[in-house]
Amino acid sequence: MVMKGLTLRGLEVFEALARTGSVAQAAEITGLSQPSVSQQLRNLENALGTDLVDHGRRPMRLTQAGRSFLARAEAVLAELQMAQSELTLMDLGHLTTLSIGLIDDFDNDLTPRLATLLADSLTRSKFKLITLPSLDLFDELEAQRLHLVVSAHSGEVLEDVVEYPLVQDPFILVTPKGATDAVQELPFLRYAREQLISRQIEAHLARHKLNYEERFEIGSHLALMAMVARGLGWAITTPLGYMRATRFHDALEAHPAPFGDFARTISLFTRNDWSDQVPQDVAGMMRRLMRNQVVDPALAQLPWLADRLRVMG
């Protein structure tokens, strides 16, 4: 039996407070008034019999008990949100075939969940799901070998293509832990030039007239993050990329990009001759999955990304 005073709303308020340290921001996130946020927190602390936050500090800081409880609260909320996604899954049983391609940024968490959810709905359909680099995905879509692709937008005008924006993914600086002046003292570790993310980064650096020695060009994201963690250089990536490299986080530090804000958009694309409701439904499910499995965990770890890393639509 769940103890009296321990409510879903209380967990949501506590998670928002832990993320922002602000009653005002937690109220905005949860849609409650500030007095209601404070009351929900008091009810939760009374139910647990301990203080979860240091009420004498601004911004609020979690107590040791609060830090311990936060991990449990986040796990509970994530499972409830995933259950909601599964219950609101669309009926795709009318399709005879569905083929979808995704960039490999989501291989760790989102793609496996998406595959199982779609497979459950495609009761009598032929189903194909593949991962490819962004530019290859657009080629497959143009050749009509894929119905849907989830990719970073190339920035080019795409004829006969409908776009459903999913998430804004800002670029960030990643350095070895403790390297206070990495950009000046260490080499720049680039993504391989053939990759869309590399072209976007290089274009931004060119706009700022920044030129770095071309020593390292790495086609594997995890290899790139491993090299940064080893202290071999610094890199520019995005929160989605950073969160894929969890195994290296103890040796990495993430910072705002020092060359001005810039971001990429991850979207779902389909050809405009596919006028079915399916693309809209899949885009909605993708947004829920991205929020639960990627965006919210990233914001909890890197709160300075608030308002920059966000689900769209």
Side-chain angles (χ1 to χ4, degrees), residues 172-187:
I172 61 175
L173 171 69
V174 180
T175 65
K177 197 173 191 67
T180 57
D181 200 14
V183 174
Q184 300 299 323
E185 297 177 353
L186 296 175

Side-chain angles (χ1 to χ4, degrees), residues 186-229:
L186 296 175
F188 176 31
L189 307 179
R190 286 177 161 87
Y191 284 98
R193 297 280 188 176
E194 296 80 10
Q195 296 174 294
L196 177 58
I197 190 172
S198 175
R199 298 182 186 183
Q200 293 170 323
I201 293 169
E202 296 296 335
H204 183 78
L205 294 178
R207 285 192 294 270
H208 285 262
K209 296 181 172 55
L210 295 170
N211 187 28
Y212 294 98
E213 182 182 5
E214 299 186 21
R215 288 186 56 201
F216 297 99
E217 189 175 330
I218 310 300
S220 162
H221 171 74
L222 289 180
L224 188 71
M225 293 297 101
M227 292 174 68
V228 176

Side-chain angles (χ1 to χ4, degrees), residues 11 14 65 83 97 103 133-134 141 148 159 176 205-206 208 278-279 288 294:
L11 295 179
F14 171 62
T97 181
I103 50 177
S134 290
L141 183 65
L148 306 171
E159 296 184 2
L205 294 178
H208 285 262
V278 171
R288 291 191 295 272
V294 181

Side-chain angles (χ1 to χ4, degrees), residues 91-296:
D91 179 14
L92 302 178
H94 65 286
L95 295 177
T96 58
T97 181
L98 177 65
S99 56
I100 181 170
L102 299 94
I103 50 177
D104 60 7
D105 298 60
F106 309 115
D107 275 355
N108 284 15
D109 299 307
L110 190 145
T111 299
R113 177 73 75 161
L114 176 66
T116 56
L117 291 178
L118 289 175
D120 285 343
S121 294
L122 294 162
T123 53
R124 294 181 299 276
S125 310
K126 184 178 179 180
F127 176 45
K128 177 181 181 180
L129 185 148
I130 61 173
T131 59
L132 286 172
S134 290
L135 297 176
D136 292 340
L137 287 173
F138 287 121
D139 289 341
E140 292 294 300
L141 183 65
E142 183 178 6
Q144 301 187 47
R145 288 189 288 267
L146 291 174
H147 296 116
L148 306 171
V149 302
V150 176
S151 170
H153 196 293
S154 65
E156 301 175 358
V157 176
L158 302 172
E159 296 184 2
D160 301 324
V161 170
V162 180
E163 177 182 6
Y164 299 87
L166 302 176
V167 63
Q168 177 179 283
D169 191 26
F171 286 93
I172 61 175
L173 171 69
V174 180
T175 65
K177 197 173 191 67
T180 57
D181 200 14
V183 174
Q184 300 299 323
E185 297 177 353
L186 296 175
F188 176 31
L189 307 179
R190 286 177 161 87
Y191 284 98
R193 297 280 188 176
E194 296 80 10
Q195 296 174 294
L196 177 58
I197 190 172
S198 175
R199 298 182 186 183
Q200 293 170 323
I201 293 169
E202 296 296 335
H204 183 78
L205 294 178
R207 285 192 294 270
H208 285 262
K209 296 181 172 55
L210 295 170
N211 187 28
Y212 294 98
E213 182 182 5
E214 299 186 21
R215 288 186 56 201
F216 297 99
E217 189 175 330
I218 310 300
S220 162
H221 171 74
L222 289 180
L224 188 71
M225 293 297 101
M227 292 174 68
V228 176
R230 188 69 179 269
L232 298 176
W234 55 274
I236 299 174
T237 187
T238 71
L240 297 192
Y242 178 76
M243 295 305 290
R244 284 181 63 204
T246 304
R247 71 184 76 171
F248 303 119
H249 281 183
D250 287 346
L252 297 176
E253 289 183 2
H255 312 272
F259 322 116
D261 285 347
F262 66 122
R264 63 177 185 169
T265 299
I266 306 296
S267 299
L268 182 143
F269 300 90
T270 186
R271 294 183 58 83
N272 61 10
D273 54 4
W274 209 38
S275 58
D276 197 287
Q277 180 70 24
V278 171
Q280 296 182 46
D281 290 343
V282 174
M285 184 175 65
M286 289 290 297
R287 292 185 187 108
R288 291 191 295 272
L289 289 171
M290 287 181 171
R291 183 185 303 278
N292 298 340
Q293 298 211 332
V294 181
V295 174
D296 285 350

Side-chain angles (χ1 to χ4, degrees), residues 43-63:
N43 292 345
L44 181 61
E45 290 180 324
N46 289 337
L48 296 172
T50 188
D51 286 343
L52 298 175
V53 302
D54 183 345
H55 295 270
R57 301 187 65 174
R58 294 293 182 275
M60 287 185 175
R61 299 286 183 85
L62 296 183
T63 62

Side-chain angles (χ1 to χ4, degrees), residues 5-17 26-33 36-44 69 73 76-77 80:
L6 189 60
T7 65
L8 175 58
R9 178 59 86 182
L11 295 179
E12 291 174 335
V13 165
F14 171 62
E15 190 274 336
L17 278 170
E28 183 177 349
I29 290 171
T30 59
L32 299 175
S33 67
S36 294
V37 166
S38 298
Q39 185 62 54
Q40 288 287 345
L41 179 61
R42 283 195 295 270
N43 292 345
L44 181 61
F69 185 69
V76 169
L77 290 171
L80 287 172

